[in-house]
Amino acid sequence: MATQQPAVRPANPRFSSGPCAKPPTFDVTKLADAALGRSHRAAIGKDKLKAAIEGTREILGIPADYRIGIVPASDTGAVEMALWSLLGARKVEMLAWESFGAGWVTDVVKQLKIDAEVKTADYGDIVDLATVDTKNNDVVFTWNGTTSGVRVPNADWITDDRVGLTICDATSAAFAMDLPWDKLDVTTFSWQKVLGGEAAHGVIVLSPRAVERLESYTPAWPLPKIFRLTKGGKLIEGIFTGATINTPSMLAVEDYLFALDWARSVGGLKGLIARADANAKAVFDFCDGNDWITNLAEDETTRSNTSVCLKFSDDRIQDGAAFAKAVAKRLEAENIALDIGAYRDAPAGLRIWCGGTVETSDLQAMLPWLTWAFEAEITAQA
Ligand SMILES: Cc1ncc(COP(=O)(O)O)c(C=O)c1O
């Protein structure tokens, strides 16, 4: 017999790691001011794009001399635009400890055919950052590995006197973790992640040194228009003031502006980090109190406060992958937790999004149900 179902249900069962839960105050009527059916190059469209750029700068504390561009194809577009535009000038080190970082390795080694030094770690672990030569090499890494729940503990391993560039995929970190801008030359993220925005566009943040590289180096390979950040050896400044490369969704822009407003209402970046930390703590405490479930991230200092990945650690489990899927399915069927199965390339388990748009009270209501689903499944497989 399975245990009794808990009495309390989460008000919002959305714990997906992307697209993530909308801000708690969201409803579609909040997007009524969208500049729909208008040219994105008309003043109204350009002003909204500019507000999205400057709102990003304000909330994330991005220095005034860094460029912020809204680009096509979400975070993937922003990362690949950086790889294709900047790499090839110096030796490259690629760091990967989960699926997305591994994807960037494939891009660089197999597609761009760069003879990069590749450093990888298994899911749950992280590469030895002390071995990375950030002084001389271009280094590509993911701040928070969304599919393993492992993040870099800090940026102390990045030297201030570097000649190479740091290229950082920060899509599940931006708006939930402190990003030290002086250590990051290229930073990317997408709207669909921590602020619960709509998918479509990516954001690329460039340090002055990244701009210098763009203006002084031309890659050996051709660049499609969608990746081009320079023209005639000069940065296309318009991209960084709201004149996007191609047509953006003004509905997605409005939604992002709403999300930025909500971010302000919870205290900006500090408030967002505090919300994510409180959410992650609820899950960490749950793991500490139950010996059948464990954080996939082995070292506490690398534990994500957004994409918290868990594995089952109970000897009675016969087929780990089937078990984890069945638990997630039970929770989904009860409308308690949606989309919490581990990523398809990751070890069997669960992934619970803890970014700031999730309410801690919803996590606290959901976790007893996880115990219920676990026990029900143990009973079912017996
Ligand atoms: C670390 C990381 N990089 C890249 C991506 C791809 O993002 P998008 O689908 O927004 O391009 C994701 C999506 O989950 C991610 O988590």
Side-chain angles (χ1 to χ4, degrees):
M1 273 289 288
T3 51
Q4 218 184 334
Q5 291 188 340
V8 180
R9 291 171 169 268
N12 185 355
R14 289 173 176 80
F15 302 104
S16 153
S17 293
C20 302
K22 307 294 282 181
T25 54
F26 176 84
D27 82 75
V28 283
T29 63
K30 304 267 171 59
L31 308 185
D33 275 347
L36 303 184
R38 293 294 313 273
S39 168
H40 59 294
R41 312 231 183 252
I44 185 173
K46 263 195 167 157
D47 285 351
K48 283 183 184 286
L49 286 155
K50 218 179 200 169
I53 289 171
E54 290 317 315
T56 303
R57 189 185 306 281
E58 171 206 332
I59 305 280
L60 292 181
I62 299 173
D65 59 348
Y66 277 47
R67 308 300 208 292
I68 304 171
I70 294 169
V71 299
S74 209
D75 182 62
T76 308
V79 173
E80 292 190 334
M81 161 186 269
L83 303 181
W84 260 256
S85 299
L86 291 160
L87 295 186
R90 315 183 62 80
K91 185 179 165 186
V92 180
E93 273 189 77
M94 298 295 302
L95 315 183
W97 48 89
E98 50 80 63
S99 177
F100 285 100
W104 310 141
V105 173
T106 300
D107 270 357
V108 169
V109 174
K110 295 227 167 94
Q111 298 295 323
L112 287 173
K113 303 195 188 329
I114 291 174
D115 185 20
E117 187 173 347
V118 178
K119 294 181 174 164
T120 59
D122 285 340
Y123 278 83
D125 202 354
I126 194 165
V127 302
D128 183 357
L129 298 169
T131 68
V132 181
D133 183 359
T134 58
K135 176 155 170 59
N136 295 300
N137 300 338
D138 289 340
V139 179
V140 181
F141 71 103
T142 302
W143 192 278
N144 181 75
T146 321
T147 64
S148 70
V150 171
R151 63 167 156 180
V152 294
N154 54 52
D156 296 352
W157 51 284
I158 299 173
T159 56
D160 291 329
D161 62 346
R162 62 191 178 280
V163 189
L165 299 177
T166 51
I167 300 177
C168 173
D169 172 1
T171 202
S172 53
F175 300 105
M177 303 174 200
D178 255 323
L179 297 174
W181 297 106
D182 57 329
K183 302 276 190 181
L184 303 175
D185 295 306
V186 180
T187 310
T188 67
F189 63 89
S190 56
W191 291 350
Q192 51 101 356
K193 274 282 184 296
V194 180
L195 290 187
E198 287 306 288
H201 304 299
V203 173
I204 188 164
V205 182
L206 303 175
S207 74
R209 291 183 55 253
V211 173
E212 200 180 290
R213 170 77 64 84
L214 283 169
E215 293 189 330
S216 62
Y217 164 72
T218 307
W221 41 80
L223 284 182
K225 173 180 171 180
I226 214 89
F227 280 180
R228 268 179 251 151
L229 292 165
T230 58
K231 191 175 178 189
K234 280 278 160 218
L235 193 74
I236 304 172
E237 292 285 356
I239 296 171
F240 306 93
T241 56
T244 47
I245 296 171
N246 67 337
T247 314
S249 159
M250 295 312 294
L251 193 59
V253 171
E254 195 69 17
D255 182 75
Y256 183 60
L257 291 173
F258 167 81
L260 289 171
D261 270 343
W262 173 78
R264 285 183 192 98
S265 78
V266 297
L269 183 60
K270 245 177 129 182
L272 290 167
I273 293 173
R275 287 176 66 92
D277 283 350
N279 287 342
K281 184 175 184 301
V283 181
F284 298 168
D285 289 350
F286 180 79
C287 291
D288 288 345
N290 292 285
D291 56 9
W292 48 266
I293 195 153
T294 320
N295 199 308
L296 186 61
E298 279 150 29
D299 175 353
E300 271 183 40
T301 67
T302 69
R303 284 186 181 161
S304 174
N305 64 349
T306 56
S307 58
V308 179
C309 294
L310 307 175
K311 59 184 177 188
F312 291 102
S313 46
D314 188 298
D315 290 345
R316 291 169 295 174
I317 295 171
Q318 291 152 15
D319 176 341
F323 187 88
K325 272 196 183 130
V327 168
K329 199 170 156 197
R330 272 181 200 271
L331 293 170
E332 182 143 352
E334 290 288 341
N335 201 33
I336 293 297
L338 306 177
D339 312 321
I340 64 161
Y343 190 70
R344 57 179 187 264
D345 300 341
L350 302 176
R351 182 174 55 162
I352 300 171
W353 185 255
C354 289
T357 58
V358 170
E359 299 278 28
T360 310
S361 55
D362 285 336
L363 275 166
Q364 282 163 341
M366 183 274 279
L367 290 166
W369 283 86
L370 178 50
T371 305
W372 166 79
F374 167 76
E375 287 176 359
E377 209 45 50
I378 288 284
T379 307
Q381 64 152 33

